[in-house]
Amino acid sequence: MDYLARPIACFLAILCFYCAPGLAVAGSYEAPLPVQLSTDPDLCAYVPCKDVMPGADSFSKRMGKPAYVEAYQSRKDKHDGKDDHGDEKDKHDGKDDRKLIGYVFLSTDVVDIPAYSGKPVVTLIGMDTKGIITGVRVLKHSEPILLVGIPESQLTKFVKQYLGKFVGDKIEVGTSRPGEGMIGVDAISGATVTVIAENQVILRSGLEVARQVGIVKPTIRPQAKFKDIPGTLDWQALLDEGSVQELKVKADEIGQGPAGQPYIDIYFGYLNEPTIGRSVLGEHGYASLMSKLKPGEHAIFLIANGTGSFKGSGFVRGGIYDRVLVSQDIDSFTFRDLDYLNLYGIEAAGAPPYRESAIFIIRSPSFSAAYPWSLVYLANKMDRQTGAKTFANFDKEYWLPARYLEGGRPEVVKPEATWVKVWKSRKVEVVLFLLWLIAAGTVYALRDKLVRRSTMKDTRWKEIPRYLLWVSSIGFVGFYLLAVPSITQVLTWFHAILFEWRWELFLSDPFVFLFWIFIIVTTFFWGRGMFCGWMCPYGSLAELVYHVAGKLGLKRYQRHLLPQNWHDRLKWIKYGIFTILLAVSFYSMGWAEKLAEVEPFKTTFLVGVWNRSWPFVTFWTVLIVASAFFERPFCKYLCPLGAALAVPSTFRWWGLKRKAECGPCAACQVGCGSQAIDDAGRIDQRECLLCLDCQVLYYDTHACPPLAKERKRRTKAGEPLTAIGADGYYIPIVPVSARPTPAAAERPSLPAFIGQEFFDHLFPWSRKVFQQPVLLQATTFALTVLVTWVWVLGAAGQIGPGIVLGWWLGWSAYELVVRMRCKPYVKDGPWWGRNLRPASWADMAAYVAFKNLLIAATLFLIMKGAGILDVLQGLPALQPDRSYGPFWRACWHAWRAWCAPTS
């Protein structure tokens, strides 16, 4: 393997040098913030408050809920006659010697809006006493596009647009619409989702604080009028109609690892409505509660179980319930000890037992029970990958059933999700992009007609559609839509499946989302070549550079193919890069995103070559110059995305056509630009870019040796030249029906087919394994059970993903060796067929890796959706704190310590 080690080592050295600037200057990307930032009352001891509030010389401690600090300016420094009157005051008069000039607040103290990375952009915001934004500073973000793609100066430029704007204005990313009262701010090209999220962060944070300090008056909603419905309901009936809602937070949702019970499980409801109030509290309890409430006050109840508490530590310190609040639209309502009443019991039949309970009073004229509201539980969430703690909230909406309200529920227009706004704002481009995808798929689906019309001397029918797709991919898809698939998205899928799947994260870029659906489908249909060879923006650019360079006089210097022995070695580099990126991502996603800059996609399309530092420009230039002399060097040897798509290409349904003579004949092999045809005439679908030259040759009666031979024979014998059939030969002069045909192979029954498939895919051993010595059989099956048990522990969250990945790789390597000994074959063609062929080591490695990944992911999703994982997490055998004896308990804790993700 020395021939692989040397090029990989050289590549890694170059890559480290290439990425060095990006690693050295990280800016606010994943910037370490003090752990006290979210808890210490002195906010400005940890963040530069003066940067966002010019003129302030002192700041208060945190106050309010959500938290903010007041910014002051000494009167003696201001020299404002209106406020000072020239009076000399004692320097120690405290607040009387200062003038309140504004407020400073941390976005994560107010809202929890994720950006494209799935994590919030931590932003410090300043606002004066009139609600005008005085400063915005991004302290930390996790956006990969702003890591080494788009410079962070663009984000700084974007947030500066908010200076001088009122927090209550309608501000959206895009063009201004004065007729609708809409103020537009310029977006960052290539980071649309990020700036839309940051726009919401700034405005919603500012509006929340402005409402709290009285700059913006609270919304007054019409109060609910209840119908008089006699009777009471049991607990299940209350749940069924939505009068009681459940808010459940699992331990793994806040990064504590799975447990047998949820972190907190809260049932809550609205008590002012007579039927609900009587059902929950009983007649006497309801009457007593109503007698204590003043007009305009509202009561809700909470009961909870779990290891967490909704009362929190703030209640002990200062009578503040800092774990729960009620939100209605953009208004928030918090609770103190004066807002708390004891809940002595639940009268509804069938109510569950509970560990803590409360009745909270909402004392605000802006709250109305006729409109939907949400109970919000606030918690510190630990990132399971990095160990960092961030602010997070979990909410559940509550809306009184329509039957309790006179006139039913009022009409409510809810704000659209960020991804919905993105899709609607670009609906024309989405439609055009869909038409482009459909056109590309249709053209390739009709490839047989195109190659039949072409010859090796005239390939216009095949080449013109390819050139049109290349040009439109570069201009429309790459530079205009910025829809460039990347290996970072593949890594994101892996982590989303293991940690937290969020559709919003993938829907936030409509073009990349649609492109990936198309790529996945076409990869299973035809292999990676449909995307890599016809539609990839960068691949299209490299291909056009090669052809244009040839037309400009460089053709005599161009080397169409590398020596086959060199190609067979270099092609494995991209698989090594993909493996390294995947492995590094489980240690640090940030490092993996930096190393993924081996892809020149961002430099080419998202950022622009001349907007990058010199190492990026140098690397990009080397690749483009190489593309002028060699056909697609990056795609063949370096592209990790191509490697990721090559693995499932083993499962493609429809391959390219071949003839029996394709082994001895080397005509196609000599002209294959991808060098994907071996000496036996077999096409390696993992390397094939579907240029279709071999398919043109397949039907060309002058270029294909067996066809040319038959054409000459018939011409010499005076026999007619019939059409070329689907099998690539002249249709016989004697009708096929006149010849005896062999009996068709009997198709197995459906149960037999399923049984054969089950045995082939799940068991790498053949039936000969039962003829092995008993000790070897026992060892084999013990290993199978151990691997399965490790996977179950990983799925249940009892061990870290790194060790699960290690076991998965180890088992796959073991299965690869066993299959090459016991079942050295793979399918050729559709998965529903039984057309088998001998497998090379590369064939078997791709088959085993992707099959095991599919099986593991499918089982994980099925178990998660069916609730089996919750059951597993509650089993005593999977609980680390149960008593198994000192030795086994020590072994368990040692195992957990070794398997836990690195903080």
Side-chain angles (χ1 to χ4, degrees), residues 248 250 252 259-260 863-864 866-875:
K248 181 185 292 187
K250 298 179 180 179
D252 57 350
M863 294 171 67
K864 188 174 183 179
I868 298 175
L869 290 184
D870 294 334
V871 175
L872 289 175
Q873 292 166 7
L875 291 178

Side-chain angles (χ1 to χ4, degrees), residues 685-892:
Q685 297 292 339
R686 293 180 297 276
E687 301 300 320
C688 178
L689 298 180
L690 296 181
C691 68
L692 299 182
D693 284 345
C694 63
Q695 300 304 285
V696 173
L697 189 65
Y698 183 84
Y699 292 109
D700 193 332
T701 58
H702 288 77
C704 179
L707 282 180
K709 182 179 179 180
E710 175 66 10
R711 177 182 56 80
K712 292 176 181 179
R713 187 196 67 78
R714 289 193 182 191
T715 302
K716 186 175 181 180
E719 296 177 352
L721 296 177
T722 57
I724 308 298
D727 59 356
Y729 298 99
Y730 282 103
I731 295 175
I733 298 174
V734 179
V736 176
S737 58
R739 297 181 177 179
T741 57
E746 183 179 354
R747 291 180 60 85
S749 63
L750 182 60
F753 174 78
I754 294 176
Q756 182 67 48
E757 292 292 298
F758 183 83
F759 182 79
D760 271 359
H761 293 310
L762 293 186
F763 296 94
W765 316 277
S766 64
R767 291 180 174 84
K768 295 180 181 179
V769 71
F770 298 105
Q771 301 172 4
Q772 301 289 337
V774 176
L775 181 60
L776 184 59
Q777 290 186 43
T779 303
T780 298
F781 291 116
L783 178 61
T784 306
V785 172
L786 180 59
V787 169
T788 304
W789 179 243
V790 169
W791 183 88
V792 170
L793 289 175
Q798 298 296 325
I799 57 178
I803 197 65
V804 178
L805 180 65
W807 274 101
W808 179 81
L809 290 173
W811 171 258
S812 296
Y814 168 78
E815 184 178 354
L816 171 63
V817 175
V818 170
R819 281 188 178 274
M820 288 302 291
R821 179 182 177 86
C822 298
K823 296 180 178 180
Y825 54 82
V826 292
K827 277 191 177 183
D828 194 19
W831 58 268
W832 56 81
R834 290 295 297 172
N835 185 20
L836 305 176
R837 61 173 172 81
S840 65
W841 283 93
D843 291 331
M844 191 60 73
Y847 164 74
V848 167
F850 195 68
K851 172 187 69 71
N852 288 346
L853 177 64
L854 284 181
I855 291 174
T858 302
L859 287 176
F860 178 82
L861 294 176
I862 291 174
M863 294 171 67
K864 188 174 183 179
I868 298 175
L869 290 184
D870 294 334
V871 175
L872 289 175
Q873 292 166 7
L875 291 178
L878 295 180
Q879 296 303 313
D881 295 326
R882 303 300 177 108
S883 178
Y884 298 115
F887 173 76
W888 293 111
R889 188 161 55 249
C891 290
W892 173 262

Side-chain angles (χ1 to χ4, degrees), residues 384-509:
R384 290 170 60 185
Q385 294 176 259
T386 64
K389 290 186 177 181
T390 57
F391 172 82
N393 60 52
F394 306 87
D395 61 272
K396 181 71 174 183
E397 185 180 87
Y398 185 97
W399 199 354
L400 276 175
R403 75 187 191 100
Y404 295 129
L405 298 169
E406 289 188 4
R409 288 174 170 176
E411 183 179 353
V412 175
V413 179
K414 296 184 179 180
E416 293 177 327
T418 301
W419 69 268
V420 175
K421 293 181 178 179
V422 174
W423 281 69
K424 285 188 174 182
S425 65
R426 309 200 69 180
K427 53 181 176 291
V428 175
E429 290 98 328
V430 168
V431 172
L432 292 175
F433 184 64
L434 280 172
L435 292 175
W436 183 79
L437 294 177
I438 294 171
T442 302
V443 166
Y444 188 78
L446 298 175
R447 65 193 178 282
D448 200 63
K449 296 183 181 298
L450 297 176
V451 297
R452 279 179 176 272
R453 288 177 174 266
S454 302
T455 64
M456 293 304 294
K457 291 184 178 181
D458 183 7
T459 58
R460 287 177 297 172
W461 286 95
K462 173 183 72 76
E463 293 298 334
I464 289 177
R466 290 184 74 206
Y467 274 96
L468 289 176
L469 282 175
W470 287 342
V471 172
S472 58
S473 176
I474 297 169
F476 175 64
V477 179
F479 285 110
Y480 180 69
L481 296 182
L482 306 178
V484 185
S486 168
I487 190 61
T488 57
Q489 292 141 14
V490 177
L491 302 179
T492 302
W493 291 348
F494 276 100
H495 287 261
I497 292 174
L498 283 174
F499 298 107
E500 182 180 6
W501 184 274
R502 298 180 58 188
W503 280 108
E504 301 84 6
L505 177 61
F506 304 103
L507 289 168
S508 55
D509 190 324

Side-chain angles (χ1 to χ4, degrees), residues 580-626:
I580 291 171
L581 290 176
L582 181 61
V584 169
S585 72
F586 283 94
Y587 171 74
S588 169
M589 192 63 182
W591 270 90
E593 289 166 347
K594 294 172 183 177
L595 294 176
E597 278 291 318
V598 68
E599 295 178 327
F601 306 158
K602 289 180 185 176
T603 300
T604 306
F605 299 103
L606 304 182
V607 184
V609 179
W610 308 118
N611 294 326
R612 306 301 298 271
S613 55
W614 69 266
F616 293 94
V617 176
T618 303
F619 182 70
W620 183 88
T621 304
V622 168
L623 289 178
I624 288 297
V625 171

Side-chain angles (χ1 to χ4, degrees), residues 485-487 490 516 531-532 536 578 599 601 638-646:
S486 168
I487 190 61
V490 177
W516 269 112
F531 167 73
C532 294
C536 173
F578 170 61
E599 295 178 327
F601 306 158
L638 294 179
C639 183
L641 178 59
L645 296 177

